C-alpha cells in the first residue's frame, strides 16, 4: 500500500523495535495474490473473506451507495460481500499470536470500511483454543458519514501472558442481502508508532503535484496519526528539497493513542517559475524505530501566475419547489454584489423552463431542491453560495480560457475559445451553456410556489410579502441548452494538453426563436477527465430585471424614458437602475422616504440614447420602503425601492 502524493488514510504498519515498541502481528494485505489470504490467515467458512480490490470483492458498496471504496491507499484489502449466503457469522482469523505477560498496553489496530445496514454486524473476536471456540472482544462501530475509511483500536491487554491466541473479525449479514465490509492495515502492537497520514505544500493540488506562485514562500502542512499504544507528547517534522540539507522543526502536543494531529510550518524557500521541486517529508517520534509509514514524497511546481479561477454554480430549482425562492434570492444577491465573476446557471426541473437532458444530468448530484452544485465537485444549499465563492476563488484554475469570438445569428451561436493550460490536462471536454434571464410567463409551470408567504418561515428578500404561488415573477440564469451534452465533448481538443501550449476549439449551439437574445448569456465549461469543472469563462450577464412583480419596472414617455427598472429589489448594499432613454440627456437621481423626506445626496448622470445602467448605493439606508426619483429635462419618474438586509 504505497503512499502517493497526497495520502488520505493511514499507511501500512511496520514491525517496531523491541526497546520501547513491539509488534506482535502486522499485515497490509498488499503482498498476496488475489483472492488468497496471507500465510496462516484463515477464512471461516472458506473463501468468504478474500484479498484484492475491495470494489470487486464487496461490490454492494457501489450497487447500494454508489461508492468506490478502492480509494487512494486502499487499492488492496481483505473484504467480504454481504450478499453471500455464507456471510452470516463468517470469521477472518489471524495466525496465532504470543503476547508476553509484560505487554499490558497491547492493542489491535486496523482500518475499516463498514457502513452497517439493517441488522448487519461486525465484531472483533478471539480464540484461545486454536480457533475452535470464539469469544467476542468488542463490537466494531461503523464509519461516520464524513469518512469512507476509519481507523479502529481494540484493547487486548486482557490477553497479556497468553500464547497461541488467534484474533479475528466476525461479519454477519443476518441471513439477508446486505453490504459487507473491508479491512486494511491490520496490526497488533504496543508502544509508539507515529504515521504520516497526509502532507501538502499548499492547497493547489492537481494531477499529482502542488502548484505555487514563484517568489513566494510555501507552507508544509499535514496530519499524523498516533497508531501506537503510548501517548506522544512531542514529535519532529523533517523535510528535504532535492539534494539540499534536511530541515526540521518540533511539534509539542498531547497525542493520545489512535488520535490524529496536525502540523503546519512555513518554509523559507523561494520557488522559480516553470521549475519542479521534489520534496520529501517525514516525521519522527521517540521510540518509533521505523520510518516506512512516516514519510511521503510530494512534488511542487512554480508558476509565474495562476489562471483566473471562475467558479461554476449550477442550481437545481423549479417553480413547483416551495423552498426555491431561497435559491433565487441567493443567486440574485450574489450577482448584485459580485457581478461578472462566476458562472451562475439555474437548472429547472418539472416546470415550463426545464431542459430535460441538463435536468437529468444534474439529478445525479443532488438529493433535494433547492441545491447548489459547485464545480461539479460538491453539493450544498444555495444560501451558502458566498461561502463557497470565498473558499474557491483562489483555487487553482489549471488553464486560462479566452473567448476569442462569439457569433450569434437567428438560429445559432458559435463560440471560439483559446485554452492555455499551466499543467498537463488529459481527456478534457468542453460544454457550452446558454442561459436566459428576465424570463416570465403565465399559468402552469410559471407561477412560483412560495413557502415564505406571509413571513411564516422568516424573511426572504421580499418573498414574504407575496402570496403563494407568485404570479408574474421573473426567472434569471435559466439553463436553456448545454451543447453538445451536459458532460461535454473533446470538440477538437487533443487527448493530452501540455503546460504552456495554447489550444483552440469552436463550440456551436442552436438557439430557439422564442429566446430573447438580449437576455442570453453564453458560458464555456472546461471539464476534466473525472467530470469535475476545471475552469470556465462567459459573456457578460444581461441586466437583471426585478424578480418580484412589485411595480418597480415602469414606462414614462413624458420624462423621455421608455423603461426604468430597479434591480435587485429588495436591495441590500446596492441596487441598479436600468434606464432605456429615448434621447441623450442628463438625469438626476434622488432617494426619499415614503413621506418625501430626502435620505441621500442627489446623483447627476448623463444618459445616452438607449440602454443605461446606473449604480445606486444603498448600504447606508435602513431596512424599509423608499422612493427613487429619476428627473430629466422632460419630466420625473418615481419608482418604489425596498431595502432588506
Amino acid at each position: 500500500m504505497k503512499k502517493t502524493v497526497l495520502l488520505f488514510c493511514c499507511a501500512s504498519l511496520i514491525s517496531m523495535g523491541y526497546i520501547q515498541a513491539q509488534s506482535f502481528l502486522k499485515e497490509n494485505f498488499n503482498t498476496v495474490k488475489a483472492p488468497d489470504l496471507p500465510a496462516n490467515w484463515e477464512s471461516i467458512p472458506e473463501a468468504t473473506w478474500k484479498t484484492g480490490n475491495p470494489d470487486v470483492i464487496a461490490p454492494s458498496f457501489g450497487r447500494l451507495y454508489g461508492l468506490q471504496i478502492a480509494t487512494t491507499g486502499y487499492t488492496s484489502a481483505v473484504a467480504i460481500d454481504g450478499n453471500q449466503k455464507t456471510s452470516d457469522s463468517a470469521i477472518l482469523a489471524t495466525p496465532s499470536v504470543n503476547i508476553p505477560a509484560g505487554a499490558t498496553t497491547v492493542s489491535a489496530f486496523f482500518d475499516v470500511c463498514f457502513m452497517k445496514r439493517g441488522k448487519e454486524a461486525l465484531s472483533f473476536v478471539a480464540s484461545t483454543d486454536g480457533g475452535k471456540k470464539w469469544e467476542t472482544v468488542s463490537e466494531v462501530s461503523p464509519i461516520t458519514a464524513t469518512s469512507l475509511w476509519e481507523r479502529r483500536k481494540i484493547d487486548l491487554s486482557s490477553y497479556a501472558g497468553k500464547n497461541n491466541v488467534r484474533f479475528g473479525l466476525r461479519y454477519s449479514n443476518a441471513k439477508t442481502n446486505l453490504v459487507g465490509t473491508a479491512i486494511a492495515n491490520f496490526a497488533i502492537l504496543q508502544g509508539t508508532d507515529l504515521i504520516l497520514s497526509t502532507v501538502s505544500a499548499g492547497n493547489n493540488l492537481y494531477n499529482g503535484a502542488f502548484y505555487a506562485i514563484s517568489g513566494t514562500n510555501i507552507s508544509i502542512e499535514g496530519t499524523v496519526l498516533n497508531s501506537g499504544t503510548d501517548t506522544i507528547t512531542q514529535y519532529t517534522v523533517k523535510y528535504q528539497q532535492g539534494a539540499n540539507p534536511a530541515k526540521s522543526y518540533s511539534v509539542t502536543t498531547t497525542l493520545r493513542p489512535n488520535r490524529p494531529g496536525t502540523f503546519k510550518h512555513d518554509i523559507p524557500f523561494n520557488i522559480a517559475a516553470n521549475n519542479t521541486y521534489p520534496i520529501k517529508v517525514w516525521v519522527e517520534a521517540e521510540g518509533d524505530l521505523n520510518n516506512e509509514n512516516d514519510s511521503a514524497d510530494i512534488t511542487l511546481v512554480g508558476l509565474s501566475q495562476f489562471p483566473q479561477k471562475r467558479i461554476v454554480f449550477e442550481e437545481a430549482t423549479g417553480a413547483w419547489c416551495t423552498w426555491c425562492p431561497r435559491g433565487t434570492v441567493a443567486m440574485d444577491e450574489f450577482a448584485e454584489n459580485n457581478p461578472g465573476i462566476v458562472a451562475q446557471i439555474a437548472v429547472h426541473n418539472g416546470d415550463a423552463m426545464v431542459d430535460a437532458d441538463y435536468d437529468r444530468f444534474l439529478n445525479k448530484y443532488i438529493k433535494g431542491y433547492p441545491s447548489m452544485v459547485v464545480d461539479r465537485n460538491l453539493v450544498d444549499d444555495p444560501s451558502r453560495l458566498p461561502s463557497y465563492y470565498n473558499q474557491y476563488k483562489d483555487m487553482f484554475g489549471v488553464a486560462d480560457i479566452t473567448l476569442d469570438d462569439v457569433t450569434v445569428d437567428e438560429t445559432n451561436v458559435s463560440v471560439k475559445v483559446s485554452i492555455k493550460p499551466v499543467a498537463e490536462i488529459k481527456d478534457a471536454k468542453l460544454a457550452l451553456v446558454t442561459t436566459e434571464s428576465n424570463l416570465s410567463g403565465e399559468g402552469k409551470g410559471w407561477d412560483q410556489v412560495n413557502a415564505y408567504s406571509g413571513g411564516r418561515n422568516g424573511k426572504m428578500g421580499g418573498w414574504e410579502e407575496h402570496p403563494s404561488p407568485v404570479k408574474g415573477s421573473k426567472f434569471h440564469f435559466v439553463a436553456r441548452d448545454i451543447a453538445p451534452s451536459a458532460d461535454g465533448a473533446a470538440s477538437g481538443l487533443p487527448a493530452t494538453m501540455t503546460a504552456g501550449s495554447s489550444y483552440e476549439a469552436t463550440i456551436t449551439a442552436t438557439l430557439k426563436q422564442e429566446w430573447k437574445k438580449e437576455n442570453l448569456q453564453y458560458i464555456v465549461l472546461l471539464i476534466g477527465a473525472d467530470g469535475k469543472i476545471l475552469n470556465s469563462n462567459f459573456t457578460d450577464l444581461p441586466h437583471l430585471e426585478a424578480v418580484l412583480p412589485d411595480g418597480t419596472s415602469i414606462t414614462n414617455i413624458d420624462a423621455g424614458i421608455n423603461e426604468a427598472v430597479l434591480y435587485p429589489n429588495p436591495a441590500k448594499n446596492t441596487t441598479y437602475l436600468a434606464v432605456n432613454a429615448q434621447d441623450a440627456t442628463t438625469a438626476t437621481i434622488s432617494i426619499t422616504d415614503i413621506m418625501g423626506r430626502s435620505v441621500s445626496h442627489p446623483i447627476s448622470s448623463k444618459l445616452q440614447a438607449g440602454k443605461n445602467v446606473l449604480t445606486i448605493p444603498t448600504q447606508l439606508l435602513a431596512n424599509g420602503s423608499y422612493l427613487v426619483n429619476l428627473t430629466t429635462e422632460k419630466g420625473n419618474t418615481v419608482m418604489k425601492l425596498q431595502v432588506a438586509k
Side-chain angles (χ1 to χ4, degrees):
M1 209 161 295
K2 184 180 178 182
K3 287 189 180 180
T4 52
V5 175
L6 184 63
L7 305 173
F8 295 95
C9 54
C10 307
S12 57
L13 293 166
I14 332 291
S15 94
M16 312 187 62
Y18 283 79
I19 300 175
Q20 297 185 38
Q22 189 170 1
S23 172
F24 304 103
L25 178 67
K26 63 180 181 68
E27 181 55 61
N28 59 20
F29 307 103
N30 252 3
T31 58
V32 294
K33 183 179 179 181
D36 297 338
L37 295 176
N40 299 319
W41 286 69
E42 183 182 5
S43 174
I44 309 169
E46 187 178 356
T48 51
W49 289 86
K50 303 174 185 177
T51 303
N53 184 316
D55 286 323
V56 176
I57 302 170
S60 295
F61 283 95
R63 181 177 60 83
L64 295 174
Y65 295 107
L67 296 174
Q68 288 186 318
I69 60 174
T71 57
T72 303
Y74 295 97
T75 54
S76 182
V78 62
I80 185 170
D81 183 11
N83 278 311
Q84 294 185 74
K85 294 180 180 179
T86 53
S87 292
D88 192 49
S89 194
I91 295 176
L92 171 69
T94 71
S96 295
V97 178
N98 298 329
I99 301 179
T104 56
T105 60
V106 66
S107 294
F109 296 88
F110 54 90
D111 297 339
V112 62
C113 182
F114 174 53
M115 302 188 75
K116 187 173 175 57
R117 183 170 180 169
K119 295 182 179 180
E120 195 171 30
L122 183 66
S123 55
F124 192 92
V125 295
S127 173
T128 56
D129 61 2
K132 296 178 182 178
K133 182 180 179 181
W134 295 89
E135 62 181 6
T136 299
V137 179
S138 175
E139 297 298 324
V140 178
S141 61
I143 59 176
T144 65
T146 58
S147 177
L148 191 56
W149 285 86
E150 291 178 356
R151 195 85 172 142
R152 294 288 181 266
K153 174 191 174 185
I154 307 295
D155 181 14
L156 301 181
S157 56
S158 62
Y159 292 90
K162 295 183 179 181
N163 295 327
N164 298 319
V165 184
R166 299 188 74 183
F167 298 99
L169 287 147
R170 179 166 55 202
Y171 170 80
S172 172
N173 65 357
K175 298 182 179 180
T176 186
N177 292 334
L178 292 174
V179 185
T181 187
I183 305 294
N185 300 323
F186 188 98
I188 298 175
L189 58 89
Q190 73 167 355
T192 302
D193 186 26
L194 183 66
I195 293 177
L196 178 61
S197 301
T198 70
V199 64
S200 66
N203 295 322
N204 299 303
L205 173 67
Y206 177 73
N207 202 24
F210 294 92
Y211 291 82
I213 299 297
S214 60
T216 62
N217 291 333
I218 64 169
S219 295
I220 293 290
E221 54 186 298
T223 60
V224 295
L225 176 72
N226 182 356
S227 192
T229 59
D230 296 343
T231 296
I232 296 174
T233 58
Q234 188 177 59
Y235 63 92
T236 301
V237 179
K238 294 186 176 182
Y239 60 91
Q240 184 176 28
Q241 191 277 304
N244 293 325
K247 303 288 183 66
S248 65
Y249 63 95
S250 295
V251 179
T252 301
T253 183
T254 301
L255 201 58
R256 294 182 174 85
N258 210 34
R259 296 292 183 182
T262 62
F263 62 85
K264 182 177 181 180
H265 183 65
D266 293 332
I267 297 180
F269 168 50
N270 290 316
I271 62 175
N274 304 315
N275 281 11
T276 299
Y277 302 89
I279 301 175
K280 180 179 180 179
V281 183
W282 67 99
V283 293
E284 295 178 355
E286 185 178 358
D288 184 354
L289 305 181
N290 303 278
N291 294 118
E292 288 186 43
N293 61 354
D294 302 341
S295 66
D297 295 315
I298 61 177
T299 300
L300 181 67
V301 180
L303 298 174
S304 58
Q305 64 181 28
F306 286 161
Q308 182 178 353
K309 176 64 175 174
R310 295 180 176 90
I311 309 166
V312 178
F313 295 103
E314 294 170 294
E315 180 202 19
T317 186
W320 56 267
C321 168
T322 187
W323 298 103
C324 283
R326 182 171 70 248
T328 298
V329 171
M331 291 276 275
D332 278 16
E333 286 188 351
F334 190 86
E336 169 198 351
N337 297 323
N338 307 276
I341 61 174
V342 303
Q344 294 177 249
I345 305 167
V347 182
H348 280 250
N349 167 271
D351 61 22
M353 293 158 282
V354 65
D355 180 278
D357 291 339
Y358 206 163
D359 175 42
R360 280 193 295 268
F361 175 84
L362 203 66
N363 258 280
K364 297 187 299 183
Y365 292 89
I366 67 170
K367 294 182 179 179
Y369 290 82
S371 290
M372 182 74 68
V373 182
V374 185
D375 278 345
R376 298 185 182 174
N377 184 45
L378 56 87
V379 183
D380 210 325
D381 189 272
S383 62
R384 298 197 63 198
L385 191 157
S387 173
Y388 283 115
Y389 169 71
N390 290 328
Q391 178 182 337
Y392 273 47
K393 64 181 180 180
D394 297 321
M395 295 294 283
F396 189 48
V398 186
D400 281 307
I401 304 174
T402 304
L403 306 188
D404 295 328
D405 182 61
V406 179
T407 303
V408 180
D409 59 30
E410 289 300 316
T411 57
N412 296 283
V413 58
S414 175
V415 181
K416 182 179 179 182
V417 300
S418 294
I419 301 171
K420 189 174 182 179
V422 295
E424 182 181 88
I425 304 176
K426 290 184 177 294
D427 300 320
K429 297 179 180 180
L430 292 172
L432 173 62
V433 181
T434 301
T435 68
E436 184 175 5
S437 294
N438 306 320
L439 266 173
S440 62
E442 296 180 357
K444 186 177 180 180
W446 289 101
D447 298 341
Q448 178 65 61
V449 182
N450 178 19
Y452 299 94
S453 178
R456 62 183 183 274
N457 289 306
K459 291 186 176 181
M460 187 50 63
W463 286 84
E464 67 276 8
E465 299 179 3
H466 289 263
S468 180
V470 177
K471 298 181 182 295
S473 63
K474 293 185 178 178
F475 298 88
H476 296 154
F477 325 108
V478 177
R480 288 305 213 175
D481 180 64
I482 183 166
S485 65
D487 50 6
S491 301
L493 296 178
T496 300
M497 294 193 289
T498 59
S501 299
S502 187
Y503 303 88
E504 293 185 349
T506 299
I507 322 173
T508 61
T510 301
L511 304 178
K512 292 186 178 181
Q513 187 174 2
E514 62 266 27
W515 301 347
K516 294 182 179 180
K517 293 183 174 58
E518 66 271 21
N519 289 330
L520 300 183
Q521 184 184 31
Y522 306 104
I523 302 168
V524 174
L525 311 179
L526 178 63
I527 304 169
D530 60 359
K532 297 178 182 178
I533 296 175
L534 302 177
N535 214 340
S536 72
N537 204 350
F538 35 82
T539 59
D540 291 338
L541 186 69
H543 93 265
L544 304 179
E545 299 173 3
V547 169
L548 291 169
D550 55 4
T552 58
S553 176
I554 66 169
T555 300
N556 190 333
I557 301 298
D558 292 337
I561 302 299
N562 290 331
E563 186 179 34
V565 180
L566 285 170
Y567 68 94
N569 191 0
K572 291 178 66 178
N573 298 320
T574 306
T575 189
Y576 298 96
L577 175 57
V579 181
N580 190 338
Q582 294 176 356
D583 303 296
T585 186
T586 298
T588 300
I589 301 145
S590 61
I591 305 177
T592 68
D593 61 20
I594 58 175
M595 301 300 293
R597 293 170 295 202
S598 177
V599 295
S600 71
H601 294 292
I603 301 172
S604 181
S605 181
K606 291 184 178 180
L607 302 181
Q608 64 181 9
K611 294 183 178 180
N612 304 262
V613 178
L614 309 178
T615 301
I616 302 176
T618 58
Q619 67 266 30
L620 299 181
L621 298 179
N623 290 347
S625 298
Y626 298 89
L627 300 177
V628 177
N629 301 274
L630 174 65
T631 304
T632 70
E633 59 185 12
K634 293 185 178 182
N636 186 55
T637 298
V638 181
M639 292 154 284
K640 184 180 177 182
L641 171 68
Q642 191 77 19
V643 174
K645 299 178 181 179

